[in-house]
Amino acid sequence: MSVQLPTATGSFGDKPEISFPTPNAPEGLQVEVLEQGTGDTVEVGQTIVVNYLGQSWGGGVFDNSWDRGQTISFPIGVGMVIGGWDEGLPGKQIGSRVLLSIPPELGYGPRGVPQAGIGPNATLVFVVDIVGVE
């Protein structure tokens, strides 16, 4: 049985909108490269620069960098961000647009982040544009 992942509008650099194909999220971490970049490969320990949009599976957008008008940067693969990002982004190329479906155990778990609109045990979906490394 194939996994049905959300779809995202737009291309690299455009603020995406996410549509969900089913009410139920797939199991485990799912990573899909929506647009393949041509830059260097992101390696564990590098500080990456991204634009992103985050949404709970079937729910609303809880955060995105496009509306703030600025990218964010952080070390990847070293525990500074949620596990789904640490596992799903290394090995991708700069200039790529990546869709991540992140299960609760690699996101915010049973507590969620209620103040951000992330419920307990929420599956998170992110569209991430890998802009560069610092």
Side-chain angles (χ1 to χ4, degrees):
M1 186 165 105
S2 66
V3 172
Q4 287 192 299
L5 293 177
T7 56
T9 63
S11 54
F12 187 91
D14 299 327
K15 180 182 172 184
E17 289 184 13
I18 299 173
S19 299
F20 295 87
T22 66
N24 299 320
E27 296 290 320
L29 176 65
Q30 305 292 324
V31 182
E32 180 181 9
V33 176
L34 301 175
E35 190 173 325
Q36 182 64 53
T38 58
D40 291 341
T41 300
V42 172
E43 298 179 17
V44 168
Q46 286 184 311
T47 296
I48 65 171
V49 180
V50 303
N51 267 312
Y52 70 94
L53 180 136
Q55 189 165 341
S56 296
W57 189 281
V61 173
F62 56 80
D63 193 16
N64 83 87
S65 61
W66 277 278
D67 286 353
R68 288 191 298 276
Q70 60 186 20
T71 57
I72 65 163
S73 60
F74 50 84
I76 194 69
V78 296
M80 299 298 290
V81 291
I82 60 173
W85 283 48
D86 272 350
E87 291 183 24
L89 294 177
K92 305 301 178 279
Q93 287 179 276
I94 295 169
S96 294
R97 172 168 275 202
V98 182
L99 183 136
L100 302 167
S101 175
I102 301 174
E105 62 271 18
L106 295 175
Y108 295 105
R111 291 187 303 181
V113 185
Q115 65 272 27
I118 301 170
N121 294 310
T123 294
L124 308 177
V125 178
F126 286 93
V127 174
V128 181
D129 285 359
I130 304 173
V131 176
V133 293
E134 294 179 339

